Short mmCIF file of all heavy atoms in Angstrom, two decimals:
data_model
loop_
_atom_site.label_atom_id
_atom_site.label_comp_id
_atom_site.label_asym_id
_atom_site.label_seq_id
_atom_site.Cartn_x
_atom_site.Cartn_y
_atom_site.Cartn_z
N VAL A 155 -19.92 19.50 18.71
CA VAL A 155 -19.53 18.39 19.58
C VAL A 155 -18.48 17.57 18.85
O VAL A 155 -18.34 17.66 17.64
CB VAL A 155 -20.74 17.49 19.93
CG1 VAL A 155 -21.71 18.21 20.84
CG2 VAL A 155 -21.42 17.00 18.65
N VAL A 156 -17.74 16.77 19.63
CA VAL A 156 -16.67 15.98 19.02
C VAL A 156 -16.53 14.65 19.75
O VAL A 156 -16.75 14.56 20.96
CB VAL A 156 -15.34 16.78 19.02
CG1 VAL A 156 -14.85 17.04 20.44
CG2 VAL A 156 -14.26 16.06 18.23
N VAL A 157 -16.22 13.62 18.98
CA VAL A 157 -15.80 12.33 19.55
C VAL A 157 -14.31 12.22 19.26
O VAL A 157 -13.90 12.43 18.11
CB VAL A 157 -16.56 11.16 18.89
CG1 VAL A 157 -15.90 9.83 19.26
CG2 VAL A 157 -18.02 11.16 19.33
N ILE A 158 -13.52 11.99 20.28
CA ILE A 158 -12.08 11.93 20.03
C ILE A 158 -11.56 10.50 20.16
O ILE A 158 -12.15 9.66 20.83
CB ILE A 158 -11.28 12.88 20.96
CG1 ILE A 158 -11.43 12.48 22.44
CG2 ILE A 158 -11.70 14.32 20.74
CD1 ILE A 158 -10.54 13.28 23.36
N GLY A 159 -10.46 10.26 19.50
CA GLY A 159 -9.85 8.93 19.52
C GLY A 159 -9.07 8.72 20.80
O GLY A 159 -8.74 9.67 21.52
N ASN A 160 -8.77 7.47 21.06
CA ASN A 160 -8.04 7.08 22.27
C ASN A 160 -6.70 7.79 22.37
O ASN A 160 -6.31 8.30 23.42
CB ASN A 160 -7.84 5.56 22.23
CG ASN A 160 -7.22 5.04 23.50
OD1 ASN A 160 -7.64 5.40 24.59
ND2 ASN A 160 -6.20 4.21 23.37
N GLU A 161 -5.99 7.86 21.26
CA GLU A 161 -4.65 8.44 21.27
C GLU A 161 -4.68 9.93 21.61
O GLU A 161 -3.88 10.42 22.40
CB GLU A 161 -4.01 8.25 19.89
CG GLU A 161 -2.64 7.64 19.93
CD GLU A 161 -2.17 7.32 18.52
OE1 GLU A 161 -2.64 6.33 17.95
OE2 GLU A 161 -1.36 8.10 18.01
N LEU A 162 -5.65 10.63 21.00
CA LEU A 162 -5.77 12.06 21.27
C LEU A 162 -6.13 12.29 22.73
O LEU A 162 -5.62 13.21 23.38
CB LEU A 162 -6.83 12.67 20.34
CG LEU A 162 -7.01 14.19 20.42
CD1 LEU A 162 -5.70 14.89 20.11
CD2 LEU A 162 -8.09 14.66 19.45
N ASN A 163 -7.00 11.42 23.26
CA ASN A 163 -7.39 11.54 24.66
C ASN A 163 -6.19 11.33 25.58
O ASN A 163 -6.03 12.02 26.59
CB ASN A 163 -8.50 10.54 24.97
CG ASN A 163 -9.13 10.77 26.33
OD1 ASN A 163 -9.55 11.90 26.63
ND2 ASN A 163 -9.16 9.74 27.16
N GLU A 164 -5.34 10.38 25.22
CA GLU A 164 -4.11 10.14 26.00
C GLU A 164 -3.24 11.39 25.97
O GLU A 164 -2.70 11.82 26.99
CB GLU A 164 -3.31 8.97 25.40
CG GLU A 164 -3.95 7.60 25.56
CD GLU A 164 -3.88 7.07 26.99
OE1 GLU A 164 -3.01 7.54 27.76
OE2 GLU A 164 -4.72 6.22 27.34
N LYS A 165 -3.14 11.96 24.78
CA LYS A 165 -2.22 13.07 24.57
C LYS A 165 -2.68 14.32 25.32
O LYS A 165 -1.88 15.01 25.95
CB LYS A 165 -2.13 13.36 23.06
CG LYS A 165 -1.03 14.30 22.65
CD LYS A 165 -0.85 14.19 21.14
CE LYS A 165 0.09 15.26 20.61
NZ LYS A 165 0.30 15.14 19.18
N VAL A 166 -3.98 14.60 25.28
CA VAL A 166 -4.48 15.85 25.85
C VAL A 166 -4.92 15.67 27.31
O VAL A 166 -4.66 16.54 28.15
CB VAL A 166 -5.65 16.39 25.00
CG1 VAL A 166 -6.19 17.68 25.59
CG2 VAL A 166 -5.19 16.62 23.58
N PHE A 167 -5.55 14.55 27.60
CA PHE A 167 -6.11 14.39 28.96
C PHE A 167 -5.44 13.27 29.74
O PHE A 167 -5.94 12.86 30.79
CB PHE A 167 -7.62 14.12 28.86
CG PHE A 167 -8.37 15.24 28.18
CD1 PHE A 167 -8.76 15.12 26.87
CD2 PHE A 167 -8.64 16.44 28.87
CE1 PHE A 167 -9.42 16.15 26.24
CE2 PHE A 167 -9.31 17.46 28.22
CZ PHE A 167 -9.71 17.33 26.91
N GLY A 168 -4.35 12.75 29.25
CA GLY A 168 -3.63 11.68 29.94
C GLY A 168 -4.48 10.43 30.11
O GLY A 168 -4.25 9.66 31.05
N GLY A 169 -5.44 10.24 29.24
CA GLY A 169 -6.23 9.02 29.27
C GLY A 169 -7.44 9.09 30.21
O GLY A 169 -8.20 8.13 30.32
N ALA A 170 -7.64 10.22 30.91
CA ALA A 170 -8.78 10.35 31.84
C ALA A 170 -10.08 10.51 31.06
O ALA A 170 -10.06 10.80 29.86
CB ALA A 170 -8.57 11.54 32.75
N ASN A 171 -11.18 10.30 31.76
CA ASN A 171 -12.50 10.49 31.13
C ASN A 171 -12.69 11.98 30.82
O ASN A 171 -12.84 12.79 31.73
CB ASN A 171 -13.58 9.99 32.07
CG ASN A 171 -14.94 10.03 31.41
OD1 ASN A 171 -15.11 10.62 30.35
ND2 ASN A 171 -15.93 9.40 32.06
N SER A 172 -12.67 12.32 29.54
CA SER A 172 -12.73 13.73 29.16
C SER A 172 -14.11 14.14 28.65
O SER A 172 -14.27 15.23 28.13
CB SER A 172 -11.68 14.00 28.09
OG SER A 172 -11.90 13.13 26.99
N VAL A 173 -15.09 13.24 28.80
CA VAL A 173 -16.43 13.56 28.32
C VAL A 173 -16.95 14.78 29.08
O VAL A 173 -16.84 14.87 30.30
CB VAL A 173 -17.39 12.36 28.50
CG1 VAL A 173 -18.83 12.75 28.19
CG2 VAL A 173 -16.95 11.20 27.61
N GLY A 174 -17.49 15.75 28.31
CA GLY A 174 -17.99 16.98 28.92
C GLY A 174 -16.97 18.11 28.85
O GLY A 174 -17.34 19.29 28.94
N LYS A 175 -15.68 17.78 28.71
CA LYS A 175 -14.66 18.83 28.57
C LYS A 175 -14.68 19.36 27.15
O LYS A 175 -15.33 18.80 26.26
CB LYS A 175 -13.28 18.26 28.91
CG LYS A 175 -13.21 17.76 30.35
CD LYS A 175 -11.78 17.56 30.78
CE LYS A 175 -11.77 17.29 32.27
NZ LYS A 175 -10.90 16.20 32.64
N THR A 176 -13.93 20.45 26.94
CA THR A 176 -13.88 21.01 25.58
C THR A 176 -12.45 21.04 25.08
O THR A 176 -11.50 21.03 25.87
CB THR A 176 -14.44 22.45 25.55
OG1 THR A 176 -13.63 23.25 26.42
CG2 THR A 176 -15.88 22.49 25.98
N ILE A 177 -12.31 21.04 23.76
CA ILE A 177 -11.00 21.24 23.16
C ILE A 177 -11.11 22.34 22.11
O ILE A 177 -12.18 22.54 21.51
CB ILE A 177 -10.43 19.96 22.49
CG1 ILE A 177 -11.50 19.24 21.66
CG2 ILE A 177 -9.86 19.01 23.53
CD1 ILE A 177 -10.96 18.05 20.88
N ASP A 178 -10.00 23.04 21.92
CA ASP A 178 -9.97 24.16 20.97
C ASP A 178 -9.47 23.66 19.63
O ASP A 178 -8.30 23.32 19.47
CB ASP A 178 -9.03 25.26 21.53
CG ASP A 178 -8.91 26.43 20.58
OD1 ASP A 178 -9.10 26.24 19.36
OD2 ASP A 178 -8.62 27.55 21.04
N LEU A 179 -10.41 23.58 18.70
CA LEU A 179 -10.04 23.15 17.35
C LEU A 179 -10.21 24.34 16.42
O LEU A 179 -11.33 24.81 16.21
CB LEU A 179 -10.93 21.99 16.89
CG LEU A 179 -10.87 20.70 17.74
CD1 LEU A 179 -11.93 19.72 17.29
CD2 LEU A 179 -9.48 20.08 17.64
N ASP A 180 -9.09 24.82 15.87
CA ASP A 180 -9.11 25.98 14.98
C ASP A 180 -9.94 27.13 15.57
O ASP A 180 -10.88 27.64 14.94
CB ASP A 180 -9.63 25.60 13.58
CG ASP A 180 -8.53 24.98 12.74
OD1 ASP A 180 -7.34 25.09 13.14
OD2 ASP A 180 -8.83 24.37 11.71
N ASP A 181 -9.57 27.50 16.80
CA ASP A 181 -10.17 28.66 17.46
C ASP A 181 -11.64 28.47 17.81
O ASP A 181 -12.38 29.45 17.96
CB ASP A 181 -10.03 29.94 16.60
CG ASP A 181 -8.59 30.40 16.57
OD1 ASP A 181 -7.79 29.87 17.38
OD2 ASP A 181 -8.27 31.27 15.75
N HIS A 182 -12.10 27.26 17.90
CA HIS A 182 -13.48 27.05 18.33
C HIS A 182 -13.52 25.94 19.36
O HIS A 182 -12.83 24.95 19.23
CB HIS A 182 -14.36 26.70 17.12
CG HIS A 182 -15.81 26.76 17.45
ND1 HIS A 182 -16.57 27.90 17.27
CD2 HIS A 182 -16.63 25.83 17.99
CE1 HIS A 182 -17.80 27.66 17.69
NE2 HIS A 182 -17.86 26.40 18.12
N GLU A 183 -14.35 26.14 20.41
CA GLU A 183 -14.44 25.13 21.47
C GLU A 183 -15.43 24.04 21.06
O GLU A 183 -16.58 24.33 20.73
CB GLU A 183 -14.96 25.79 22.75
CG GLU A 183 -14.10 26.93 23.23
CD GLU A 183 -12.99 26.46 24.15
OE1 GLU A 183 -13.31 25.79 25.15
OE2 GLU A 183 -11.81 26.73 23.86
N TYR A 184 -14.94 22.82 21.08
CA TYR A 184 -15.81 21.68 20.79
C TYR A 184 -15.99 20.89 22.08
O TYR A 184 -15.02 20.64 22.80
CB TYR A 184 -15.21 20.77 19.71
CG TYR A 184 -15.37 21.30 18.30
CD1 TYR A 184 -14.54 22.30 17.82
CD2 TYR A 184 -16.36 20.81 17.46
CE1 TYR A 184 -14.68 22.80 16.54
CE2 TYR A 184 -16.52 21.29 16.18
CZ TYR A 184 -15.68 22.29 15.72
OH TYR A 184 -15.83 22.76 14.43
N ARG A 185 -17.21 20.48 22.38
CA ARG A 185 -17.50 19.71 23.59
C ARG A 185 -17.35 18.21 23.27
O ARG A 185 -17.91 17.70 22.31
CB ARG A 185 -18.92 20.00 24.07
CG ARG A 185 -19.29 19.32 25.39
CD ARG A 185 -20.62 19.88 25.93
NE ARG A 185 -21.65 19.85 24.89
CZ ARG A 185 -22.42 18.77 24.63
NH1 ARG A 185 -22.26 17.66 25.32
NH2 ARG A 185 -23.35 18.82 23.69
N ILE A 186 -16.58 17.54 24.11
CA ILE A 186 -16.34 16.10 23.90
C ILE A 186 -17.55 15.32 24.41
O ILE A 186 -17.96 15.48 25.56
CB ILE A 186 -15.07 15.65 24.63
CG1 ILE A 186 -13.85 16.39 24.07
CG2 ILE A 186 -14.88 14.14 24.52
CD1 ILE A 186 -12.58 16.19 24.85
N VAL A 187 -18.15 14.48 23.53
CA VAL A 187 -19.26 13.64 23.97
C VAL A 187 -18.85 12.18 24.11
O VAL A 187 -19.50 11.41 24.78
CB VAL A 187 -20.47 13.74 23.01
CG1 VAL A 187 -21.06 15.14 23.02
CG2 VAL A 187 -20.07 13.32 21.59
N GLY A 188 -17.75 11.84 23.47
CA GLY A 188 -17.32 10.44 23.56
C GLY A 188 -15.84 10.30 23.28
O GLY A 188 -15.23 11.13 22.60
#
Side-chain angles (χ1 to χ4, degrees):
Chain A
V155 291
V156 64
V157 167
I158 63 173
N160 185 46
E161 231 173 284
L162 184 58
N163 190 52
E164 291 287 338
K165 191 165 171 179
V166 179
F167 300 102
N171 186 349
S172 57
V173 172
K175 298 195 171 135
T176 60
I177 45 174
D178 178 334
L179 299 172
D180 279 346
D181 289 349
H182 192 92
E183 302 272 305
Y184 282 79
R185 184 169 51 85
I186 298 171
V187 295

